[in-house]
Amino acid sequence: MIVEISGLTVRYPEILALDNVSFEVGKGDFLGIIGPNGAGKSTLFDVMLGLNTKYEGTVKFFGSEIRKSRKYLGRIGYVPQNPVFERNFPATVRDVVHMGLGKNSDAGRIDGILQQLWIHELAGRRIGELSGGQQQRVFIAKALVHDPEILILDEPVTGVDRQSTDLFYSILRELNLQGITIIWSSHDLDAVNKLANHVACLNRTLFFHGESEEFFSDDKLVKQYSEASMQEHMHQH
């Protein structure tokens, strides 16, 4: 297993954000994390990315507890939720992707990544002039340019049009087929069903973690944990 999370609990002054969450991710897995807004998905990612170290439990990447060493971060690519640039932000697509390179990385890799994601023709354009879908592909390129083993994506297609979303999903599938492990939070159950081989259903605690087929073939589980029923449940209490 390349990710091992055990008993992860995160408390804020007024709220228990994550309660005793445990799951593992194997090499080459495609894990879809689903759950309502406020379920703790972003908190989970903050812990995994070393941005929040005030947690109980253990979080291991590549066999090492992440509190002990931050070297693992060089093996992870991260695509944040809906990063928006001002129209006049003074950076080109190539500049933004270059930010993802480590010190000793090959700058020639930028061209290959831009071509792989079909944005090579945009290399000289300002990032702020691009559509949401194009910007999102730039952020995948930035995350991929240092050749990570794990790609973490936090609701990456929020506010992106359908055509760009479909293209984005086909890119994710291709990356996973190339051997990149993907951990991806999404509200799109249909896409999770098509793409992910494992599902984690999170609402502060983990209600389900297992194979996608098991989750989506169980109507009761899907109904119980689909966003709509979870939201209704939350509104009733």
Side-chain angles (χ1 to χ4, degrees):
M1 292 293 164
I2 56 175
V3 180
E4 299 164 88
I5 293 177
S6 179
L8 176 60
T9 299
V10 178
R11 303 169 201 278
Y12 297 125
E14 299 295 319
I15 194 171
L16 183 60
L18 291 173
D19 183 14
N20 197 26
V21 169
S22 301
F23 65 91
E24 297 179 333
V25 182
K27 186 165 174 51
D29 275 353
F30 195 140
L31 173 66
I33 300 177
I34 57 174
N37 291 326
K41 298 188 291 285
S42 293
T43 299
L44 174 64
F45 285 164
D46 282 350
V47 169
M48 292 167 88
L49 295 164
L51 301 172
N52 181 348
T53 54
K54 293 181 177 174
Y55 61 86
E56 299 161 33
T58 59
V59 180
K60 290 182 179 177
F61 275 79
F62 308 105
S64 299
E65 165 62 48
I66 63 172
R67 281 194 179 107
K68 294 188 174 132
S69 168
R70 298 179 74 80
K71 280 188 186 161
Y72 78 99
L73 289 170
R75 299 164 77 178
I76 291 176
Y78 173 59
V79 181
Q81 190 179 131
N82 218 10
V84 177
F85 280 94
E86 293 294 319
R87 188 162 176 78
N88 297 322
F89 188 80
T92 64
V93 167
R94 182 180 291 281
D95 293 336
V96 172
V97 176
H98 192 273
M99 291 173 196
L101 278 174
K103 287 176 186 148
N104 309 316
S105 300
D106 168 18
R109 224 183 114 62
I110 293 176
D111 293 317
I113 287 287
L114 292 177
Q115 287 193 318
Q116 185 182 352
L117 300 181
W118 301 319
I119 48 176
H120 50 286
E121 290 171 3
L122 304 173
R125 293 265 304 275
R126 281 194 174 194
I127 184 78
E129 294 172 358
L130 306 187
S131 71
Q134 289 169 330
Q135 283 196 16
Q136 206 51 280
R137 274 183 278 156
V138 173
F139 274 88
I140 291 196
K142 177 176 176 277
L144 289 176
V145 75
H146 69 280
D147 213 10
E149 292 167 62
I150 300 176
L151 193 57
I152 295 177
L153 307 106
D154 186 2
E155 291 178 25
V157 292
T158 306
V160 174
D161 66 83
R162 187 75 244 171
Q163 191 181 355
S164 297
T165 297
D166 289 343
L167 175 59
F168 185 84
Y169 289 154
S170 69
I171 288 167
L172 288 191
R173 181 183 281 118
E174 186 59 36
L175 292 170
N176 187 236
L177 288 171
Q178 289 168 17
I180 295 179
T181 303
I182 296 178
I183 301 171
W184 159 58
S185 72
S186 177
H187 288 285
D188 188 341
L189 284 187
D190 193 41
V192 171
N193 190 10
K194 285 179 182 151
L195 290 170
N197 68 342
H198 287 83
V199 171
C201 187
L202 185 69
N203 194 358
R204 298 194 188 164
T205 186
L206 202 59
F207 287 102
F208 175 88
H209 174 248
E211 294 190 6
S212 306
E213 211 175 312
E214 185 189 341
F215 181 82
F216 286 104
S217 64
D218 187 330
D219 291 343
K220 263 170 52 184
L221 264 180
V222 174
K223 188 168 185 298
Q224 195 174 358
Y225 301 126
S226 70
E227 171 121 70
S229 62
M230 281 175 122
Q231 294 287 30
E232 281 167 19
H233 177 75
M234 288 166 75
H235 290 153
Q236 285 163 8
H237 289 270

